[in-house]
RNA sequence: CGGGGAGUGGCGCAGCUUGGUAGCGCGCAGCGUUCGGGACGCUGAGGCCGAGGGUUCAAGUCCCUCCUCCCCGACCA
């Protein structure tokens, strides 16, 4: 990415406002979230207020995902925030997995409740209960429902978007006639997540199956997309679970099949939270602030008129006209404020991550051009005013491509192959990213690697395994990627 | 949850050791000059010093409790 000729004074001032991403990553993250007005703190631990600019990004994430959910046959519904304790305890692994982080309501209206209500940490149980009422026949299947909602998990350490006590997400819950259908659904949604992450968010991911120990509590198989953050840690960015018949048995989700035999349904669940937003900030941002992929940028284009000289009014009129025309092909904002200078606006919009800036001044007006300044992937260039309907979308596409390519190069460069346990330990210690290994998949081997390296197995891909297990030396069955994780 | 750090106008900080009228920079408001990478001048507004208790003639400053945030670790689909 090219940066304009910088003057030392400005650089120093800038660094004062936003810490270096490379040197103070955590501080950098917090600073950009606050300064770009994505979110703010609230006096309850672990809770954030999502401000309009941040919420608009979330809405764009919602739209991108929702469009894909609808295209794959899903519909939206809404289930309640409160879950009776008794529901919650029906699935053994589920209750054990979530017990430590569930918030309970025990009083209401001034009286002790006869049965405590869980504030949902996820809704498999509530939805399972309802599916049992709704499903009678194989003709009722599949049920393909998604809900957009909030959930609460009593986390010990929190960070804006990445781990908050209350967070927004979507959770899809489906019920199927056969195991094969459920498995296909879980895999399909993993594919949807991958497509969204890589296309709209421009984040390359490793996609695959979760090892046993990392499965969702109560799931038969869990799938995940894992992204690599600049500090070398993995971020689980979306998960999809094949729940088999576990929840159907726990909640009596049964149907009469065409052979007149009553059977338990097969269910799935899958979710993406606003954590993905946090991941996107970390992956693409730089020392100047945010860099938003065009698909998820509240403003894809900002038009900055240079209001000076005798042609001032003409420049403003031209800028308005450009903003109007570009507004037809991209989300566009005209920044015609007179109280701040153009340079201030450049820095401000760069900090907020706007992918493309158009500058129009008296010189441009004379040449019937605008200066096009992409936030990433190239330097400023003048383009003819007449062709903006083509050049702007092209420039936005180039920004997306540059962001993805840059992140992909980083990901590829930070996958270290390890052929022994010692190499796994060494690679993890270097915080270089993912450590690729082959293993036999045995629990003992996994635990050994975990203990000695401090890293967890993030994802098992479908690559063919070759050679001996890094832990025990037996014939390896799978390719697994280890990393420290968020 | 353990270790460490912090909370003082909107933001960033000083003041606390040694108690005695709350300061600086930026920002903000008005006016004027400016405007192609964070402009400048003049004038001005704005703070029960995170909360509660205690010591004292007197607390931003000393003591106790609590809350929130940050960093490292542990924990965590």
């Amino acid at each position: 990415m090219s940066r304009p000729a910088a003057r030392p004074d400005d650089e120093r001032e800038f660094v004062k406002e936003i810490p270096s991403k490379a040197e103070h990553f955590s501080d950098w993250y917090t600073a950009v979230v606050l300064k770009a007005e994505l979110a703010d703190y609230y006096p309850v631990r672990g809770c954030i207020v999502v401000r309009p600019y941040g919420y608009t990004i979330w809405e764009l994430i919602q739209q991108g995902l929702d469009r894909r959910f609808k295209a794959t046959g899903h519909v939206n519904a809404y289930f309640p925030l409160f879950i009776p304790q008794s529901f919650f305890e029906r699935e053994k692994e589920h209750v054990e997995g979530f017990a430590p982080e569930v918030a309970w309501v025990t009083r209401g209206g001034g009286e002790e409740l006869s049965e405590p209500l869980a504030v949902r940490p996820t809704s498999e149980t509530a939805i399972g209960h309802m599916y049992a009422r709704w499903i009678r026949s194989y003709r009722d299947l599949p049920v393909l429902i998604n809900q957009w909602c909030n959930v609460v998990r009593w986390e010990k350490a929190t960070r804006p978007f990445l781990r908050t006590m209350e967070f927004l997400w979507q959770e899809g819950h489906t019920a199927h006639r056969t195991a094969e259908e459920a498995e296909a659904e879980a895999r399909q949604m993993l594919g949807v997540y991958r497509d969204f992450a890589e296309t709209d968010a421009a984040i390359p991911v490793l996609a695959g199956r979760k090892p046993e120990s990392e499965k969702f509590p109560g799931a038969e198989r869990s799938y995940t997309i894992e992204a690599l953050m600049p500090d070398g840690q993995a971020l689980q960015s979306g998960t999809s679970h094949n729940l088999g018949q576990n929840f159907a048995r726990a909640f009596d989700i049964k149907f009469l099949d065409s052979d007149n035999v009553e059977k338990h349904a097969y269910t799935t669940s899958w979710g993406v939270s606003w954590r993905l937003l946090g991941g996107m900030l970390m992956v693409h941002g730089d020392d100047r602030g945010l860099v938003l992929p065009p698909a998820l940028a509240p403003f894809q284009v900002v038009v900055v008129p240079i209001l000076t000289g005798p042609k001032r009014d003409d420049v403003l009129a031209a800028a308005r006209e450009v903003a109007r025309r570009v507004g037809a092909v991209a989300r566009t904002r005209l920044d015609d404020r007179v109280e701040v200078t153009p340079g201030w606006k450049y820095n401000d919009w760069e900090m907020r991550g706007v992918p493309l800036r158009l500058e129009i001044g008296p010189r441009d007006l004379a040449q019937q051009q605008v200066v096009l300044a992409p936030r990433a992937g190239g330097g400023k260039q003048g383009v003819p005013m007449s062709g903006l309907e083509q050049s702007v979308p092209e420039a936005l596409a180039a920004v997306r491509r540059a962001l993805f390519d840059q992140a992909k190069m980083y990901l590829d460069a930070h996958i270290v192959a390890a052929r022994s346990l010692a190499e796994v330990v060494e690679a993890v210690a270097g915080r270089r990213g993912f450590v690729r290994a082959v293993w036999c998949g045995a629990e003992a081997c996994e635990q050994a690697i975990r203990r000695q390296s401090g890293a967890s197995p993030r994802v098992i891909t479908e690559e063919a395994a070759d050679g001996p297990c890094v832990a025990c030396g037996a014939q390896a069955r799978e390719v697994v990627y280890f990393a420290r994780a968020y």
Side-chain angles (χ1 to χ4, degrees):
Chain A
M1 183 178 64
S2 79
R3 269 162 74 156
R7 297 143 311 147
D9 288 355
D10 284 349
E11 286 303 299
R12 201 177 313 124
E13 185 165 356
F14 195 81
V15 166
K16 201 168 63 185
E17 292 185 19
I18 298 180
S20 156
K21 190 185 182 194
E23 291 170 37
H24 305 284
F25 186 60
S26 289
D27 292 335
W28 172 89
Y29 179 79
T30 305
V32 295
V33 165
L34 296 177
K35 280 190 66 65
E37 297 180 341
L38 300 178
D40 203 354
Y41 291 107
Y42 182 77
V44 176
R45 183 175 69 83
C47 293
I48 56 169
V49 175
V50 181
R51 304 181 67 178
Y53 195 62
Y55 199 81
T56 302
I57 298 174
W58 176 238
E59 287 180 320
L60 291 163
I61 291 174
Q62 287 184 302
Q63 288 163 23
L65 285 170
D66 207 62
R67 189 171 60 242
R68 289 168 170 86
F69 298 159
K70 302 279 170 59
T72 44
H74 303 86
V75 291
N76 287 329
Y78 186 78
F79 295 84
L81 172 68
F82 297 123
I83 300 178
Q85 184 172 35
S86 55
F87 282 20
F88 203 75
E89 292 178 341
R90 280 195 217 170
E91 217 289 336
K92 187 167 166 292
E93 286 185 17
H94 193 67
V95 67
E96 283 175 5
F98 278 103
E101 28 178 14
V102 174
W104 293 96
V105 177
T106 59
R107 290 183 66 83
E111 291 178 18
E112 201 76 14
L113 302 184
S114 59
E115 179 179 5
L117 298 173
V119 179
R120 65 179 164 217
T122 182
S123 301
E124 277 74 10
T125 57
I127 292 176
H129 173 83
M130 298 312 296
Y131 280 9
R133 292 165 55 98
W134 296 342
I135 294 166
R136 289 286 169 266
S137 155
Y138 73 93
R139 296 183 208 274
D140 296 328
L141 296 172
V143 175
L144 305 173
I145 292 178
N146 173 67
Q147 80 167 341
W148 290 94
C149 68
N150 60 339
V151 290
V152 169
R153 297 180 187 184
W154 217 258
E155 301 285 358
K156 288 173 179 166
T158 62
R159 303 191 63 195
F161 295 114
L162 301 174
R163 174 169 285 110
T164 47
M165 295 224 303
E166 178 190 5
F167 59 92
L168 299 188
W169 76 341
Q170 58 72 214
E171 47 179 328
H173 295 270
T174 68
H176 304 266
R177 186 179 181 182
T178 67
E180 293 70 29
E181 274 183 44
E183 176 65 14
E185 168 77 3
R187 286 171 169 269
Q188 170 182 253
M189 298 324 287
L190 183 78
V192 163
Y193 287 159
R194 178 178 198 157
D195 176 59
F196 176 79
E198 298 197 331
T199 305
D200 288 21
I203 300 174
V205 295
L206 294 179
R209 186 163 56 83
K210 279 283 185 197
E212 284 300 302
S213 61
E214 295 281 320
K215 268 183 355 188
F216 177 77
E220 291 274 300
R221 310 184 88 190
S222 287
Y223 295 96
T224 179
I225 53 171
E226 300 279 328
L228 184 62
M229 298 300 112
D231 60 357
Q233 296 195 57
L235 185 77
Q236 177 177 298
S237 306
T239 50
S240 178
H241 315 290
N242 179 350
L243 305 174
Q245 291 177 308
N246 294 340
F247 284 85
R249 288 204 187 91
F251 288 89
D252 272 330
I253 308 173
K254 290 183 291 193
F255 66 96
L256 196 62
D257 209 343
S258 56
D259 56 8
N260 203 38
V261 174
E262 188 171 62
K263 298 172 184 171
H264 283 107
Y266 295 82
T267 64
T268 79
S269 67
W270 26 275
V272 158
S273 77
W274 67 23
R275 170 184 264 197
L276 182 65
L277 196 165
M280 182 178 88
L281 307 180
M282 290 195 284
V283 168
H284 300 312
D286 62 22
D287 281 357
R288 305 181 81 80
L290 301 183
V291 182
L292 298 174
L296 302 178
F299 305 115
Q300 296 171 308
V301 178
V302 60
V303 179
V304 178
I306 313 300
L307 301 174
T308 183
K311 295 286 188 185
R312 181 193 173 98
D313 291 344
D314 295 339
V315 168
L316 183 57
R320 287 197 172 121
E321 175 62 9
V322 163
R324 190 190 63 77
R325 283 173 48 210
V326 173
V329 294
R331 291 185 291 274
T332 303
R333 161 108 176 223
L334 172 68
D335 189 350
D336 58 359
R337 288 177 290 177
V338 294
E339 65 270 24
V340 289
T341 62
W344 194 94
K345 294 176 184 176
Y346 298 168
N347 285 287
D348 192 49
W349 291 113
E350 282 169 5
M351 186 268 290
R352 291 171 201 274
V354 175
L356 192 61
R357 179 178 71 243
L358 301 185
E359 305 168 11
I360 307 175
R363 295 202 298 268
D364 303 305
L365 197 55
Q367 299 171 54
Q368 281 298 296
Q369 68 155 24
V370 304
V371 171
L372 190 151
R375 182 67 176 82
K380 288 189 187 186
Q381 53 169 322
V383 299
M385 215 175 273
S386 59
L388 287 174
E389 284 85 351
Q390 285 76 46
S391 52
V392 164
E394 283 169 14
L396 289 172
V399 171
R400 192 214 77 89
R401 207 159 43 242
L403 292 180
F404 182 82
D405 290 347
Q406 187 176 301
K408 183 79 167 91
M409 274 175 55
Y410 180 83
L411 173 61
D412 291 344
H414 290 78
I415 295 175
V416 178
R419 281 172 299 277
S420 68
L421 185 47
E423 285 185 19
V424 172
V425 171
E426 186 195 344
V428 169
R431 293 205 176 202
R432 279 176 290 204
F434 285 108
V435 180
R436 182 184 187 277
V438 296
W439 73 351
C440 64
E443 171 115 21
C445 290
E446 177 182 336
Q447 289 307 325
I449 298 170
R450 244 179 213 277
R451 259 199 320 279
Q452 293 189 38
S453 71
S456 54
R458 304 313 307 162
V459 57
I460 296 163
T461 63
E462 292 186 332
E463 299 164 77
D466 194 22
C469 169
V470 290
C472 70
Q475 178 59 41
R477 291 174 29 233
E478 297 164 331
V479 175
V480 57
Y481 290 80
F482 287 85
R484 297 163 63 94
Y486 269 85

